[in-house]
Amino acid sequence: MVKKHTTHQGNGEVYGTQNKGTAPGGGWGALRAVEEHMLRQQVPFVGNALMLSMNKHHGFKCPSCAWPDPIKPAMAEFCENGAKAVAWEATRKRVGPDFFERHTVSELSRWSDHELENQGRLTHPMRYNAATDKYEAVSWEDAFQDIGEELKSYEDRWRVHLYTSGRAPNESAFMFQLFGRMYGINNFPDCSNMCHETTTVSLPDSLGVGKATTILDDFDHTDAVFIFGQNTGTNSPRMMGNLHELVGRGGAVVTFNPLREKALVRFANPQSPMDMLKPSGTTISSQYHQVRIGGDIAAIQGLCKVVIEADDRARERGEKRILDHEFIEAHTHGFEDYADHCRALDWARIERHSGLTREAIEQAADVYMKAERVICCWGMGITQQKHGGDGVQQIVNLLLLRGNIGRRGAGACPVRGHSNVQGDRTVGIYQKPKEAFLSQLDKVFDIQSPRRPGADVAECCEQIVAGNVDAFIGLGGNFFRAIPDIDRVAEKTLNTLKMTVQISTKLNRSHLIHGRKAFILPCLARTEKDVQAGVLQTVTIEDGMSNVNGSTGQIEPASPHLKSETAIIAGIARATLPPHTKVDWEWLSEDYARIRDRIEAVFPTMFKDYNARVGTPGGFHLYNAARERVWETESGRANFLYPGDTLDSSMSSPDAEHFQLITTRGHDQFNTTVYSLDDRYRDVYGTRMVVMMNPADIERLGLEEGNLIEFRAVAEDGIERRASGFRVMPYDVPEKCAAAYYPETNGLIPIANRDERSHTIAAKSVPVTIHLMDTEQVQQQTGVLASA
Ligand SMILES: Nc1nc2c(c(=O)[nH]1)N[C@H]1C(S)=C(S)[C@@H](COP(=O)(O)OP(=O)(O)OC[C@H]3O[C@@H](n4cnc5c(=O)[nH]c(N)nc54)[C@H](O)[C@@H]3O)O[C@H]1N2
Ligand SMILES: Nc1nc2c(c(=O)[nH]1)N[C@H]1C(S)=C(S)[C@@H](COP(=O)(O)OP(=O)(O)OC[C@H]3O[C@@H](n4cnc5c(=O)[nH]c(N)nc54)[C@H](O)[C@@H]3O)O[C@H]1N2
Ligand SMILES: [Mo]
């Protein structure tokens, strides 16, 4: 049966322009938002005590982003969006068997993402019944047996895919990969394949490590932070505190972003009483460069050109040199080639590709040259690009020029997304595992792991479309909503997958885009007490700067029927794997310290004394070689790397007729979880169905503000991909660049629109054309909206 899925969030909505432009990011708006969201989720008084234990020693780690905590946290160490995430999780609303009794899956398929999750927490394990088109309650034991029988029945086990979302803590992620490898596969598509995989793959070629070389302390000692393609105010709001503090002591923030993101322009720190008295907050970015989408490679090479040529002049004049030649000499490889490449670049070309003027680039370079210590941060604006890996490597080149790596106050800082996305990868969720890891895993568990590489997210999607997947198990997340080409994948999923199993906390679209057999297995959430064999358990989380922290839930579980992720994986593993295997799954899941002991056995150096160190306030830091100026690269040095010809690829050329579309997050959302239809930081209220466009483009296309438009994807495969019903909204964004919200636009992204090396989906440059909807389409659309 093919179900019709609504991709629209608007309900006969209007979009407003209240507060246009004036209020800063943060400030009173943030405090009001926290209060509102807690009330809306009916989070009772206990919510407040809960909030105070967040990110504290013996407390729980915020389930929102991966920004690290200070060693001495503030009284209330949380941000507006962390509070929303907790309110959303600790909600009093429930989705029990009675709910599923009232609604068929076909009906639910027409609900919006917000409506689905807003029903509350899942309470019982559920199994799909095709005869009634409903999910029905099932006992845990029956669910495990049924899943186990199914998994055992497959002839080709490589047709099974095990997806992980980055909220899973180290313990359950480790169990999940162990189960997968004992089952015989390396198919571990992971949310990072849509996120920072670009960094994970390209950074090691440059620096030998795939993680940030900075720690939080570096932000206290830096002179300048350059931010490329990361919307700090919405996605890692606690980092705003670090930027605010930097500006306060005279440091500089230089931002590269096509969109003017409000909080990066001005921000009022809710934790600063002085700021809260100022109506306009504090200026954060001393320079804000609205680079063309995908134009960072050209912009950064322009920056490097200015710095290198200034150094050339200093040499000629016998003045103090600009580059750190001592560092370059002792620690790097490929400098001369790269310098020549930059010297030879023509300014007209740099300007055309970056969309920035030479003067603007020179101004940014000036800050870079004057700052003794610089940190470069980057997010999805860099990684979700066709040449994302090249973008990451250009950022590293810029840092290397002045020895800005492996020094206090300086470094490379990819800002990671999900709270434990980095840890999941550390403990073995990886489709291309290294031999050293596998042989150690095999030794510790006396097993034989498969050596053949498995599928990442893009490959998993392709294999589903090709009809080559039998079963999908999701450890958290909302795979069938977060992926590209969602319509093509969904259709195939419903028709060809034999089984889908989703381990979840909330109802989402991935429960509705299901296989012939389908299970929803509800689990405990991060905030909740996880008691195993009578003992309260702690899990561990690795933040985006490699600190491993304990997290202990504080509140009573949403339902007595919930199991922990770890117990669920143990249940599936026991029912699937032959009884004589050496792993006692139940025994492991009864005490998470036992799992950590096994993790330590597999990674004896990295996780030395794991259990003892879990209790360290502020956690413990995992060794990062580049931070110590030890280069684990083939050349044994940090490498200057640059692409030959990527500036001129036809799809991303500034001369192309089509638009590049950014698909991005609003302020009231966490990935596919939509808390509300407002985006206070972009002055969008009551709808998410908007397209932000440059006024000159609106005029050129003969459009007007408020018109309804349709996107048509421009793709080399000739497949038609459309999404309609987006309202035109004039916005401060470069020409031929447009922006709309994710996931409403995910049907427009071809699976092949991705970074070549890492396969990370290029969700920030989706080639589209924009068309005014005709009267008939508008009537149909408004009909849909009105009846939704
Ligand atoms: N509250 C909240 N917090 C979150 C999340 C959430 O959804 N909500 N998601 C979490 C996750 S998983 C992740 S990965 C992170 C995501 O956090 P971000 O990395 O900030 O991702 P996006 O929100 O997609 O925003 C990307 C930014 O890049 C800019 N951009 C787009 N194209 C370009 C370009 O070509 N060049 C440059 N220089 N900039 C560009 C966009 O305008 C936007 O400001 O946040 C994490 N934290
Ligand atoms: N077009 C476009 N697509 C994108 C992106 C983009 O910018 N543009 N961003 C990409 C990025 S960066 C990412 S990381 C992915 C995100 O992809 P995912 O990580 O798959 O998606 P989320 O929306 O974070 O998942 C939300 C669901 O997780 C479940 N959940 C919440 N907490 C828990 C928990 O503690 N345990 C378990 N088991 N389940 C839990 C809930 O049921 C909830 O519905 O999306 C990617 N897709
Ligand atoms: Mo992410």
Side-chain angles (χ1 to χ4, degrees):
M1 179 186 353
V2 176
K3 299 187 174 94
K4 187 79 198 130
H5 290 270
T6 179
T7 50
H8 304 296
Q9 292 288 344
N11 302 344
E13 83 298 341
V14 280
Y15 94 82
T17 49
Q18 299 103 302
N19 305 331
K20 201 150 198 163
T22 51
W28 293 106
L31 293 188
R32 268 196 299 275
V34 169
E35 201 174 287
E36 244 178 66
H37 281 265
M38 299 212 70
L39 279 176
R40 252 186 251 161
Q41 293 309 316
Q42 304 158 13
V43 177
F45 173 67
V46 60
N48 298 324
L50 182 65
M51 293 308 300
L52 289 179
S53 78
M54 177 143 128
N55 297 330
K56 295 287 170 51
H57 192 38
H58 302 305
F60 69 97
K61 288 290 292 175
C62 178
S64 196
C65 80
W67 192 251
D69 305 320
I71 303 217
K72 285 200 191 111
M75 166 70 177
E77 188 60 43
F78 63 86
C79 69
E80 174 191 346
N81 281 349
K84 281 177 204 162
V86 169
W88 194 252
E89 184 170 297
T91 180
R92 274 197 168 171
K93 304 179 193 177
R94 297 289 179 269
V95 179
D98 55 320
F99 172 89
F100 290 104
E101 177 53 42
R102 288 195 304 275
H103 306 285
T104 62
V105 169
S106 301
E107 183 206 334
L108 293 173
S109 299
R110 291 187 294 271
W111 290 23
S112 73
D113 298 310
H114 171 72
E115 288 164 317
L116 290 173
E117 278 213 28
N118 196 32
Q119 299 310 307
R121 288 287 300 280
L122 296 158
T123 59
H124 288 67
M126 308 295 298
R127 177 169 54 194
Y128 182 66
N129 179 346
T132 56
D133 187 31
K134 287 178 183 172
Y135 275 100
E136 293 165 358
V138 60
S139 74
W140 280 107
E141 213 33 57
D142 285 354
F144 293 149
Q145 285 316 316
D146 204 353
I147 294 166
E149 288 308 317
E150 184 73 22
L151 287 174
K152 280 191 281 191
S153 74
Y154 302 143
E155 227 159 82
D156 180 0
R157 295 193 160 187
W158 288 87
R159 291 169 65 100
V160 175
H161 291 246
L162 306 181
Y163 174 69
T164 310
S165 167
R167 204 173 279 194
N170 283 357
E171 289 74 5
S172 48
F174 182 77
M175 296 272 279
F176 201 45
Q177 65 81 34
L178 177 63
F179 164 63
R181 296 198 160 111
M182 289 178 68
Y183 182 67
I185 56 175
N186 282 314
N187 290 332
F188 293 106
D190 179 50
C191 73
S192 71
N193 301 144
M194 299 180 265
C195 185
H196 263 292
E197 180 75 359
T198 317
T199 303
T200 308
V201 169
S202 63
L203 199 59
D205 288 342
S206 293
L207 294 180
V209 299
K211 300 177 181 177
T213 72
T214 51
I215 57 171
L216 212 47
D217 169 81
D218 292 314
F219 281 78
D220 296 337
H221 295 92
T222 191
D223 302 311
V225 174
F226 281 59
I227 304 177
F228 298 92
Q230 199 259 336
N231 184 12
T232 317
T234 288
N235 297 319
S236 34
R238 283 178 307 126
M239 175 177 159
M240 287 310 305
N242 299 86
L243 299 180
H244 187 267
E245 197 269 337
L246 168 67
V247 170
R249 59 183 168 77
V253 175
V254 178
T255 298
F256 289 80
N257 197 313
L259 296 181
R260 278 187 89 76
E261 301 288 23
K262 200 181 244 185
L264 283 171
V265 178
R266 300 185 71 78
F267 184 75
N269 189 353
Q271 311 236 355
S272 149
M274 280 308 289
D275 242 33
M276 295 300 276
L277 297 174
K278 287 191 275 183
S280 58
T282 298
T283 298
I284 296 294
S285 298
S286 45
Q287 293 181 20
Y288 203 112
H289 299 293
Q290 288 180 269
V291 63
R292 234 187 102 239
I293 294 175
D296 300 82
I297 295 176
I300 300 167
Q301 292 192 349
L303 274 162
C304 291
K305 178 181 174 73
V306 178
V307 179
I308 291 164
E309 290 178 354
D311 184 72
D312 291 343
R313 284 194 299 278
R315 185 192 57 220
E316 282 158 20
R317 295 183 192 141
E319 290 168 359
K320 186 169 181 286
R321 301 296 288 272
I322 311 277
L323 301 182
D324 185 342
H325 286 284
E326 215 176 292
F327 172 81
I328 292 174
E329 193 63 25
H331 291 284
T332 72
H333 172 81
F335 166 72
E336 277 309 333
D337 263 4
Y338 183 65
D340 284 344
H341 166 79
C342 292
R343 288 184 189 111
L345 279 176
D346 166 47
W347 273 110
R349 193 150 171 255
I350 297 175
E351 289 189 328
R352 207 163 59 87
H353 282 278
S354 68
L356 301 176
T357 62
R358 177 175 176 172
E359 291 71 38
I361 293 175
E362 283 173 345
Q363 279 170 17
D366 198 49
V367 173
Y368 180 73
M369 291 189 284
K370 287 188 177 137
E372 203 187 309
R373 294 158 296 189
V374 176
I375 293 173
C376 285
C377 297
W378 67 92
M380 299 300 102
I382 293 292
T383 62
Q384 294 177 338
Q385 297 284 358
K386 275 221 183 110
H387 305 294
D390 296 318
V392 170
Q393 292 178 344
Q394 301 322 291
I395 294 175
V396 173
N397 292 348
L398 178 65
L399 288 166
L400 292 177
L401 289 180
R402 283 175 48 82
N404 272 312
I405 297 213
R407 208 152 53 78
R408 195 178 200 189
C413 180
V415 183
R416 281 208 153 76
H418 261 300
S419 49
N420 196 42
V421 63
Q422 193 166 304
D424 292 345
R425 188 47 69 77
T426 303
V427 300
I429 298 292
Y430 194 33
Q431 77 281 1
K432 290 187 280 188
K434 293 226 169 78
E435 178 54 35
F437 158 70
L438 289 182
S439 49
Q440 190 64 17
L441 186 74
D442 288 357
K443 211 169 88 191
V444 169
F445 290 100
D446 195 8
I447 57 173
Q448 185 59 44
S449 299
R451 264 41 185 183
R452 166 179 149 192
D456 54 31
V457 165
E459 290 162 340
C460 172
C461 290
E462 280 168 349
Q463 290 177 24
I464 291 176
V465 171
N468 291 335
V469 176
D470 283 341
F472 177 98
I473 304 182
L475 176 58
N478 188 1
F479 182 83
F480 291 107
R481 192 57 175 137
I483 51 170
D485 244 344
I486 172 174
D487 300 327
R488 290 176 69 219
V489 178
E491 196 190 329
K492 272 296 196 175
T493 302
L494 290 163
N495 288 306
T496 59
L497 253 65
K498 294 180 181 155
M499 179 170 73
T500 48
V501 178
Q502 302 288 354
I503 302 170
S504 318
T505 54
K506 290 261 183 126
L507 180 63
N508 66 38
R509 193 148 321 269
S510 297
H511 304 130
L512 312 176
I513 298 175
H514 58 85
R516 263 171 257 155
K517 266 195 181 156
F519 295 86
I520 303 174
L521 305 181
C523 66
L524 291 169
R526 184 89 54 86
T527 44
E528 291 167 341
K529 290 181 185 158
D530 179 352
V531 177
Q532 302 292 336
V535 180
L536 182 64
Q537 301 292 319
T538 293
V539 295
T540 48
I541 309 294
E542 176 183 338
D543 65 33
M545 294 194 205
S546 310
N547 305 298
V548 180
N549 278 282
S551 174
T552 313
Q554 305 288 312
I555 56 174
E556 291 308 318
S559 144
H561 307 288
L562 300 182
K563 279 189 186 292
S564 72
E565 287 178 358
T566 322
I568 295 172
I569 297 162
I572 296 175
R574 181 173 41 76
T576 308
L577 301 172
H580 61 265
T581 59
K582 306 244 163 54
V583 180
D584 186 340
W585 294 93
E586 237 84 79
W587 181 81
L588 276 177
S589 66
E590 274 169 13
D591 178 358
Y592 299 172
R594 293 172 187 160
I595 305 175
R596 286 188 289 272
D597 277 341
R598 296 302 175 285
I599 297 178
E600 182 179 337
V602 175
F603 308 94
T605 319
M606 188 160 42
F607 284 102
K608 190 170 177 350
D609 297 332
Y610 194 178
N611 275 311
R613 289 196 291 166
V614 168
T616 320
F620 62 95
H621 187 253
L622 299 180
Y623 173 74
N624 182 295
R627 189 177 161 72
E628 311 302 326
R629 295 196 165 176
V630 171
W631 315 105
E632 294 176 345
T633 57
E634 253 174 52
S635 67
R637 287 160 168 261
N639 293 312
F640 281 94
L641 300 171
Y642 63 97
D645 57 355
T646 49
L647 287 189
D648 283 325
S649 112
S650 61
M651 279 302 231
S652 58
S653 158
D655 302 326
E657 257 312 297
H658 57 253
F659 283 76
Q660 295 292 347
L661 180 70
I662 294 175
T663 61
T664 193
R665 300 157 170 75
H667 194 59
D668 277 7
Q669 111 183 55
F670 190 92
N671 298 338
T672 67
T673 296
V674 177
Y675 303 130
S676 92
L677 304 186
D678 297 340
D679 185 355
R680 199 174 81 243
Y681 282 7
R682 300 207 183 95
D683 297 303
V684 180
Y685 297 92
T687 180
R688 292 167 50 82
M689 295 297 286
V690 295
V691 49
M692 295 164 238
M693 291 172 72
N694 183 297
D697 285 328
I698 298 179
E699 201 182 308
R700 187 168 51 81
L701 295 187
L703 298 171
E704 283 174 21
E705 174 168 1
N707 278 166
L708 282 173
I709 62 99
E710 175 175 86
F711 291 116
R712 292 180 200 155
V714 180
E716 277 148 0
D717 60 12
I719 294 171
E720 187 179 274
R721 297 174 179 87
R722 296 180 181 208
S724 59
F726 296 81
R727 275 183 207 282
V728 172
M729 174 175 168
Y731 209 79
D732 193 351
V733 54
E735 281 181 52
K736 299 255 200 73
C737 298
Y741 294 113
Y742 132 73
E744 290 81 348
T745 42
N746 279 30
L748 290 167
I749 313 176
I751 304 169
N753 196 57
R754 63 194 189 209
D755 177 47
E756 278 163 26
R757 280 177 275 178
S758 65
H759 294 180
T760 307
I761 308 304
K764 295 298 182 273
S765 51
V766 185
V768 293
T769 52
I770 293 178
H771 307 266
L772 181 66
M773 289 169 69
D774 60 35
T775 330
E776 197 183 324
Q777 277 178 310
V778 172
Q779 271 164 0
Q780 266 176 7
Q781 187 80 44
T782 36
V784 171
L785 292 178
S787 65

